[in-house]
Amino acid sequence: MSKPDELLVAVATKVEFEQSNQMSMTVVAGGAVITGRLAPEAAWRQRVAEVLTDSARLGPFSAIFVGAEPEQRPEKQEPPTHLHFHVARILQGSTGIPETGGMYRVAIKDVSAWTVGDFSYSDH
């Protein structure tokens, strides 16, 4: 197993501690290009729970996301292991899927390339 990129871990840690959702990032993981904004895990979990709650079929799953709040990590404890994207898209050619943006959780250890900022694309 490869060691996660220390700089990427530092960015994820800053997002968590600052509780910021403004950092745009694009990553390559498992051959997929994902672009969007990073969110703190707690905010990401809450938003996923809200989306699931609004679904008649998936509503019962929402408790999984809010019932197990991520532990508050003091700075000297374990750093984040995942990136939590919101308003994110998987890029395929010149198209972003889904058009409205989605919620993705990506293991930092699976990221093979990344850059700050998100990619623009066109549906034309």
Side-chain angles (χ1 to χ4, degrees):
M1 179 166 50
S2 64
K3 184 177 178 187
D5 182 317
E6 291 178 13
L7 188 54
L8 184 56
V9 171
V11 171
T13 300
K14 187 77 167 173
V15 168
E16 284 296 323
F17 292 137
E18 298 295 324
Q19 293 294 293
S20 171
N21 65 356
Q22 297 304 307
M23 174 56 103
S24 294
M25 182 169 280
T26 300
V27 301
V28 177
V33 178
I34 301 170
T35 191
R37 287 199 323 238
L38 296 178
E41 183 177 356
W44 183 87
R45 284 175 174 259
Q46 181 62 41
R47 182 65 186 125
V48 171
E50 289 169 3
V51 170
L52 293 174
T53 298
D54 291 343
S55 169
R57 293 186 320 228
L58 301 176
F61 290 95
S62 67
I64 294 169
F65 291 89
V66 292
E69 284 294 318
E71 62 190 47
Q72 298 298 320
R73 296 181 187 100
E75 285 190 18
K76 298 194 185 221
Q77 286 192 357
E78 295 295 316
T81 57
H82 291 77
L83 300 172
H84 296 87
F85 284 91
H86 70 116
V87 194
R89 293 168 181 87
I90 295 175
L91 299 182
Q92 182 175 8
S94 62
T95 305
I97 305 167
E99 287 183 20
T100 57
M103 308 288 288
Y104 298 101
R105 177 177 160 115
V106 178
I108 293 172
K109 68 178 179 59
D110 293 338
V111 174
S112 59
W114 62 278
T115 188
V116 172
D118 54 356
F119 281 105
S120 297
Y121 54 87
S122 172
D123 292 330
H124 305 295

Short mmCIF file of all heavy atoms in Angstrom, two decimals, residues 35 87-101 118-124:
data_model
loop_
_atom_site.label_atom_id
_atom_site.label_comp_id
_atom_site.label_asym_id
_atom_site.label_seq_id
_atom_site.Cartn_x
_atom_site.Cartn_y
_atom_site.Cartn_z
N THR A 35 -13.82 16.61 -9.93
CA THR A 35 -13.54 18.02 -9.69
C THR A 35 -14.67 18.63 -8.89
O THR A 35 -15.84 18.28 -9.09
CB THR A 35 -13.32 18.75 -11.04
OG1 THR A 35 -12.81 20.06 -10.80
CG2 THR A 35 -14.57 18.82 -11.87
N VAL A 87 -20.70 19.60 -4.54
CA VAL A 87 -20.80 20.32 -5.81
C VAL A 87 -19.71 19.78 -6.75
O VAL A 87 -18.98 20.52 -7.40
CB VAL A 87 -20.64 21.85 -5.61
CG1 VAL A 87 -21.10 22.59 -6.86
CG2 VAL A 87 -21.42 22.34 -4.40
N ALA A 88 -19.60 18.47 -6.80
CA ALA A 88 -18.52 17.82 -7.55
C ALA A 88 -19.06 17.08 -8.76
O ALA A 88 -20.22 16.67 -8.79
CB ALA A 88 -17.78 16.85 -6.64
N ARG A 89 -18.18 16.89 -9.72
CA ARG A 89 -18.54 16.18 -10.94
C ARG A 89 -17.43 15.23 -11.33
O ARG A 89 -16.26 15.51 -11.10
CB ARG A 89 -18.78 17.17 -12.07
CG ARG A 89 -20.00 18.04 -11.84
CD ARG A 89 -20.04 19.19 -12.81
NE ARG A 89 -21.19 20.02 -12.57
CZ ARG A 89 -21.21 21.02 -11.70
NH1 ARG A 89 -20.15 21.31 -10.99
NH2 ARG A 89 -22.30 21.73 -11.52
N ILE A 90 -17.82 14.12 -11.92
CA ILE A 90 -16.86 13.23 -12.55
C ILE A 90 -16.77 13.70 -13.99
O ILE A 90 -17.79 13.84 -14.68
CB ILE A 90 -17.32 11.76 -12.47
CG1 ILE A 90 -17.37 11.30 -11.02
CG2 ILE A 90 -16.41 10.88 -13.30
CD1 ILE A 90 -17.93 9.91 -10.81
N LEU A 91 -15.56 13.99 -14.44
CA LEU A 91 -15.39 14.47 -15.81
C LEU A 91 -15.25 13.30 -16.77
O LEU A 91 -14.48 12.38 -16.54
CB LEU A 91 -14.16 15.37 -15.91
CG LEU A 91 -14.19 16.63 -15.06
CD1 LEU A 91 -12.93 17.44 -15.30
CD2 LEU A 91 -15.43 17.45 -15.33
N GLN A 92 -16.06 13.36 -17.81
CA GLN A 92 -15.99 12.36 -18.88
C GLN A 92 -16.01 13.11 -20.19
O GLN A 92 -17.03 13.68 -20.57
CB GLN A 92 -17.18 11.40 -18.79
CG GLN A 92 -17.13 10.32 -19.84
CD GLN A 92 -18.25 9.32 -19.65
OE1 GLN A 92 -19.14 9.49 -18.84
NE2 GLN A 92 -18.20 8.26 -20.42
N GLY A 93 -14.85 13.16 -20.83
CA GLY A 93 -14.73 13.99 -22.03
C GLY A 93 -14.91 15.44 -21.63
O GLY A 93 -14.30 15.92 -20.69
N SER A 94 -15.80 16.13 -22.29
CA SER A 94 -16.06 17.54 -21.97
C SER A 94 -17.31 17.71 -21.11
O SER A 94 -17.81 18.81 -20.96
CB SER A 94 -16.19 18.34 -23.26
OG SER A 94 -17.30 17.85 -24.01
N THR A 95 -17.81 16.62 -20.56
CA THR A 95 -19.04 16.65 -19.78
C THR A 95 -18.77 16.33 -18.32
O THR A 95 -17.96 15.47 -18.00
CB THR A 95 -20.05 15.60 -20.32
OG1 THR A 95 -20.26 15.86 -21.71
CG2 THR A 95 -21.36 15.67 -19.59
N GLY A 96 -19.47 17.04 -17.44
CA GLY A 96 -19.40 16.77 -16.01
C GLY A 96 -20.64 16.03 -15.57
O GLY A 96 -21.77 16.42 -15.90
N ILE A 97 -20.46 14.94 -14.82
CA ILE A 97 -21.59 14.11 -14.37
C ILE A 97 -21.60 14.11 -12.85
O ILE A 97 -20.58 13.82 -12.24
CB ILE A 97 -21.42 12.67 -14.89
CG1 ILE A 97 -21.25 12.66 -16.40
CG2 ILE A 97 -22.59 11.80 -14.45
CD1 ILE A 97 -20.77 11.32 -16.93
N PRO A 98 -22.71 14.36 -12.17
CA PRO A 98 -23.98 14.86 -12.69
C PRO A 98 -23.89 16.36 -12.96
O PRO A 98 -23.04 17.05 -12.40
CB PRO A 98 -24.96 14.56 -11.57
CG PRO A 98 -24.14 14.63 -10.33
CD PRO A 98 -22.77 14.14 -10.72
N GLU A 99 -24.78 16.85 -13.79
CA GLU A 99 -24.76 18.26 -14.17
C GLU A 99 -24.89 19.18 -12.96
O GLU A 99 -24.30 20.25 -12.92
CB GLU A 99 -25.88 18.56 -15.16
CG GLU A 99 -25.64 18.01 -16.54
CD GLU A 99 -26.73 18.40 -17.51
OE1 GLU A 99 -27.46 19.38 -17.24
OE2 GLU A 99 -26.85 17.73 -18.55
N THR A 100 -25.68 18.78 -11.99
CA THR A 100 -25.93 19.62 -10.82
C THR A 100 -24.85 19.48 -9.75
O THR A 100 -24.88 20.18 -8.76
CB THR A 100 -27.28 19.27 -10.20
OG1 THR A 100 -27.28 17.89 -9.86
CG2 THR A 100 -28.41 19.58 -11.15
N GLY A 101 -23.95 18.56 -9.92
CA GLY A 101 -22.91 18.34 -8.91
C GLY A 101 -23.36 17.28 -7.92
O GLY A 101 -24.56 17.13 -7.65
N ASP A 118 -10.80 23.72 -9.83
CA ASP A 118 -11.67 22.77 -10.52
C ASP A 118 -11.62 23.06 -12.01
O ASP A 118 -11.29 24.15 -12.43
CB ASP A 118 -13.10 22.80 -9.98
CG ASP A 118 -13.72 24.19 -10.00
OD1 ASP A 118 -13.04 25.16 -10.36
OD2 ASP A 118 -14.90 24.29 -9.65
N PHE A 119 -11.91 22.05 -12.78
CA PHE A 119 -11.89 22.18 -14.23
C PHE A 119 -13.24 22.64 -14.73
O PHE A 119 -14.28 22.16 -14.29
CB PHE A 119 -11.55 20.84 -14.90
CG PHE A 119 -10.10 20.52 -14.87
CD1 PHE A 119 -9.59 19.57 -14.01
CD2 PHE A 119 -9.21 21.18 -15.72
CE1 PHE A 119 -8.25 19.28 -13.97
CE2 PHE A 119 -7.87 20.89 -15.68
CZ PHE A 119 -7.39 19.94 -14.82
N SER A 120 -13.20 23.56 -15.64
CA SER A 120 -14.43 23.98 -16.31
C SER A 120 -14.68 23.00 -17.45
O SER A 120 -13.77 22.38 -17.97
CB SER A 120 -14.28 25.38 -16.87
OG SER A 120 -14.07 26.30 -15.84
N TYR A 121 -15.91 22.89 -17.82
CA TYR A 121 -16.29 22.01 -18.91
C TYR A 121 -17.52 22.60 -19.56
O TYR A 121 -18.16 23.49 -19.04
CB TYR A 121 -16.54 20.57 -18.41
CG TYR A 121 -17.54 20.55 -17.30
CD1 TYR A 121 -18.89 20.47 -17.57
CD2 TYR A 121 -17.12 20.65 -15.99
CE1 TYR A 121 -19.81 20.50 -16.55
CE2 TYR A 121 -18.05 20.67 -14.96
CZ TYR A 121 -19.39 20.60 -15.26
OH TYR A 121 -20.29 20.64 -14.24
N SER A 122 -17.84 22.08 -20.71
CA SER A 122 -18.96 22.60 -21.47
C SER A 122 -19.85 21.45 -21.90
O SER A 122 -19.38 20.39 -22.28
CB SER A 122 -18.45 23.35 -22.70
OG SER A 122 -19.53 23.69 -23.52
N ASP A 123 -21.15 21.69 -21.84
CA ASP A 123 -22.10 20.68 -22.31
C ASP A 123 -22.48 20.92 -23.76
O ASP A 123 -23.40 20.30 -24.27
CB ASP A 123 -23.35 20.69 -21.43
CG ASP A 123 -23.05 20.19 -20.02
OD1 ASP A 123 -22.14 19.37 -19.87
OD2 ASP A 123 -23.74 20.63 -19.08
N HIS A 124 -21.80 21.84 -24.42
CA HIS A 124 -22.14 22.19 -25.81
C HIS A 124 -21.37 21.33 -26.77
O HIS A 124 -20.25 21.06 -26.66
CB HIS A 124 -21.87 23.65 -26.08
CG HIS A 124 -22.59 24.55 -25.11
ND1 HIS A 124 -23.95 24.64 -25.03
CD2 HIS A 124 -22.13 25.36 -24.15
CE1 HIS A 124 -24.29 25.49 -24.07
NE2 HIS A 124 -23.20 25.95 -23.52
#
